[in-house]
Amino acid sequence: MPFESDITALWITLRLALITVLVLLLTGTPLAWWLANTRWRFKSIIEAAVALPLVLPPTVIGFYLLIAMGPEGPLGRLTAWLGLEPLAFSFTGLVLGSVIYSLPFVVQPLQSTFSGIGRGPLEVAATLGARPLDRFFTIVIPLSRSGYLTAAVLGFAHTLGEFGVVLMIGGNIPGQTQVLSIAIYDHVESLEYASAHWLAGALLLLSFLLLLLVYGLNRRFDMVKI
Amino acid sequence: MKFKVLLILLLVYHGAGSVKAAELVVAVAANFTVTLEKLAPEFERQSGHSVTIVSGATGRHYAQIVNGAPYDVFLAADADVTARLVEEGRALADSRAVYAIGRLALWSRQDSYVDPEGKVLTDGDFRRLSIANPRLAPYGRAAVEVLTALGQYDRLFARLVQGENIAQTYQFVDSGNAELGLVAYSQVLENASGGSYWLVPEQLHTPLVQELVLLQDSSAAREFAEFMRQPSSLTLIAASGYGNLPSTATINP
């Protein structure tokens, strides 16, 4: 049976994944749009930077974040200057870490969807008098439904499975920064295999259902393609 | 450091000639890793065997041993895990031996932040106190006992952050993200990172009796266990921030 702290960890994990995805969809959309349309010659630099979390061990991200959040790090100085609480060992810090960690999982699907739309439909709309924002919300967004779905679910699921970054900057505080993957790790290391099984199984099922949702819905969108 | 160990190891290996040189894999609790890295070259020189060090949390080592990790010797951070391994028949029954008594230190990176009596725990306006996870690490359990003995546990509970093992606990303080930490005294001495510390009196927590146990019955493993108990090793261990071993190695698990 799960402990009460496990239920708390589950809620924190879901809340973290949800907030992270919302932040990423809001910030990722303009970034992906820009990447899909810019002719800037150094665009690859930004693309490579966005893809970095795919190849870096999460511990590297966590380590740099921990240093950056310390009193002498740039983030630590910034929060102190703004009179805010330090980011390390806080839920806000975890959101920041997760946004960086899951960035490519949201930006890349969006970018390829935006590229796939091409300039044609937008130019037609422009000749009909639609303004840029109008064009974006009435043409690009509806045409990118499947890209948004993929981005949202991948970003969410990837944050659910986050471990290394949280281990480095979380401090394992129940009710604040103790997420599901850390709770599982604790159970395994303190030899509570039954609880570990329970949680690990739940996470496995949840992740599978989420991915099933993406593939199932994407197929459906394909069939009723606009 | 590791490279140096490797180099010495290679030299010893080639120099050993006709002596039957074995390769020992030693799993060690995170708090003792640095001390073992100092001891290993001497053992390699004396015995002609080579030593590979695997560092980590004692709980994790246990889980790995249960699942067949190929370790010869295990230097644990307590006496419970070693007793358990012997009980389960995974370690040699007669091989349990105390090799160190751990000491806890309240450490801050800032000079004169920690006073000689550790009153900062009661009066300080620090935001974060870093301890090892008490469910996994013996040093974490001892830290909780100290805070309880001082009557501060409930008050400070919300300010505690937990490292996965004692090395991460130290790192939270070293990176400045926690002002204070209850870490291993050996870490404070080894890293010579300055700041200020209070050596926590031993009567405030259950003794951190650290035991070793042999997982393989080989002469090399037995030689290593003997080496750990020889006077020169004990002197080095004591100088590295560990308490004196009781003359008769009585253990109360």
Side-chain angles (χ1 to χ4, degrees):
Chain A
M1 275 312 288
F3 292 112
E4 198 189 314
S5 62
D6 294 335
I7 307 295
T8 314
L10 177 66
W11 279 119
I12 289 178
T13 310
L14 292 176
R15 202 156 61 100
L16 177 66
L18 193 68
I19 294 175
T20 302
V21 162
L22 290 179
V23 171
L24 275 174
L25 287 179
L26 288 178
T27 53
T29 298
L31 177 60
W33 180 253
W34 179 77
L35 282 173
N37 290 289
T38 186
R39 295 204 176 108
W40 190 46
R41 44 201 281 234
F42 299 117
K43 163 186 160 181
S44 343
I45 299 177
I46 308 295
E47 281 182 312
V50 168
L52 262 185
L54 284 176
V55 292
L56 278 184
T59 40
V60 171
I61 304 173
F63 173 62
Y64 280 138
L65 277 174
L66 188 73
I67 302 297
M69 287 170 176
E72 278 125 55
L75 287 172
R77 283 171 198 263
L78 183 69
T79 48
W81 186 71
L82 293 171
L84 300 173
E85 295 277 287
L87 287 168
F89 318 127
S90 75
F91 185 77
T92 318
L94 288 197
V95 171
L96 177 68
S98 308
V99 163
I100 294 171
Y101 175 68
S102 295
L103 183 72
F105 288 82
V106 171
V107 170
Q108 289 186 348
L110 290 184
Q111 187 188 341
S112 69
T113 310
F114 292 158
S115 304
I117 294 173
R119 307 202 71 80
L122 292 173
E123 277 162 8
V124 172
T127 56
L128 294 174
R131 307 216 152 266
L133 268 187
D134 206 16
R135 296 202 294 265
F136 188 79
F137 283 108
T138 55
I139 295 171
V140 177
I141 299 271
L143 282 179
S144 311
R145 266 197 314 195
S146 113
Y148 269 99
L149 181 76
T150 308
V153 176
L154 282 186
F156 188 85
H158 192 240
T159 309
L160 278 191
E162 181 175 355
F163 177 72
V165 177
V166 183
L167 187 74
M168 297 290 269
I169 63 172
N172 200 9
I173 304 170
Q176 288 178 52
T177 61
Q178 190 181 69
V179 300
L180 211 53
S181 55
I182 301 275
I184 293 173
Y185 184 68
D186 272 14
H187 284 317
V188 172
E189 290 219 330
S190 43
L191 311 171
E192 296 154 354
Y193 289 157
S195 306
H197 271 309
W198 202 93
L199 279 188
L203 194 58
L204 181 71
L205 192 68
L206 184 60
S207 308
F208 179 72
L209 288 179
L210 279 172
L211 290 176
L212 193 64
L213 184 78
V214 183
Y215 286 109
L217 283 181
N218 263 345
R219 214 173 129 227
R220 192 166 225 173
F221 281 152
D222 278 349
M223 283 194 285
V224 289
K225 216 164 200 165
I226 311 158
Chain B
M1 182 73 202
K2 272 191 191 125
F3 178 69
K4 252 193 229 161
V5 172
L6 202 74
L7 200 73
I8 293 167
L9 188 155
L10 273 173
L11 289 173
V12 168
Y13 188 80
H14 286 292
S18 60
V19 183
K20 212 169 141 198
E23 283 175 29
L24 272 186
V25 182
V26 180
V28 60
N31 74 78
F32 197 75
T33 308
V34 176
T35 311
L36 182 61
E37 279 170 355
K38 284 187 276 183
L39 286 165
E42 179 57 24
F43 172 70
E44 288 171 339
R45 201 185 56 75
Q46 281 183 20
S47 66
H49 304 311
S50 64
V51 174
T52 304
I53 297 171
V54 183
S55 167
T58 290
R60 185 170 61 217
H61 277 320
Y62 173 81
Q64 287 172 347
I65 289 166
V66 168
N67 289 298
Y71 306 143
D72 298 291
V73 183
F74 178 28
L75 305 187
D78 64 7
D80 299 343
V81 169
T82 46
R84 198 161 169 170
L85 284 168
V86 167
E87 238 168 72
E88 295 169 347
R90 299 181 206 277
L92 303 192
D94 62 338
S95 66
R96 283 174 67 190
V98 180
Y99 68 92
I101 306 287
R103 294 296 307 268
L104 213 52
L106 179 70
W107 176 61
S108 164
R109 222 176 48 157
Q110 301 165 46
D111 290 333
S112 59
Y113 190 86
V114 180
D115 53 287
E117 275 101 41
K119 289 211 171 63
V120 63
L121 272 182
T122 334
D123 318 329
D125 61 344
F126 54 92
R127 275 189 79 255
R128 295 294 185 195
L129 169 63
S130 175
I131 65 170
N133 188 333
R135 287 175 61 208
L136 309 180
Y139 279 75
R141 280 199 292 279
V144 169
E145 286 174 6
V146 170
L147 295 177
T148 311
L150 295 172
Q152 299 297 320
Y153 184 70
D154 292 331
R155 193 177 72 85
L156 295 178
F157 182 76
R159 302 195 213 171
L160 296 180
V161 291
Q162 295 177 3
E164 187 249 325
N165 58 37
I166 201 69
Q168 197 190 18
T169 308
Y170 182 90
Q171 181 219 339
F172 281 159
V173 184
D174 193 47
S175 64
N177 284 297
E179 294 96 325
L180 283 173
L182 279 163
V183 300
Y185 182 46
S186 56
Q187 294 175 303
V188 177
L189 289 187
E190 169 56 33
N191 295 290
S193 21
S196 46
Y197 69 87
W198 168 53
L199 183 60
V200 178
E202 283 175 292
Q203 59 270 25
L204 288 180
H205 59 82
T206 318
L208 284 160
V209 177
Q210 303 194 200
E211 278 193 356
L212 66 82
V213 81
L214 302 186
L215 303 167
Q216 305 290 336
D217 194 1
S218 69
S219 62
R222 289 195 183 277
E223 278 173 55
F224 182 82
E226 269 165 42
F227 169 81
M228 289 296 289
R229 303 276 300 173
Q230 78 184 28
S232 64
S233 304
L234 294 179
T235 310
L236 194 144
I237 293 172
S240 302
Y242 291 90
N244 289 319
L245 294 190
S247 46
T248 50
T250 41
I251 312 143
N252 25 319

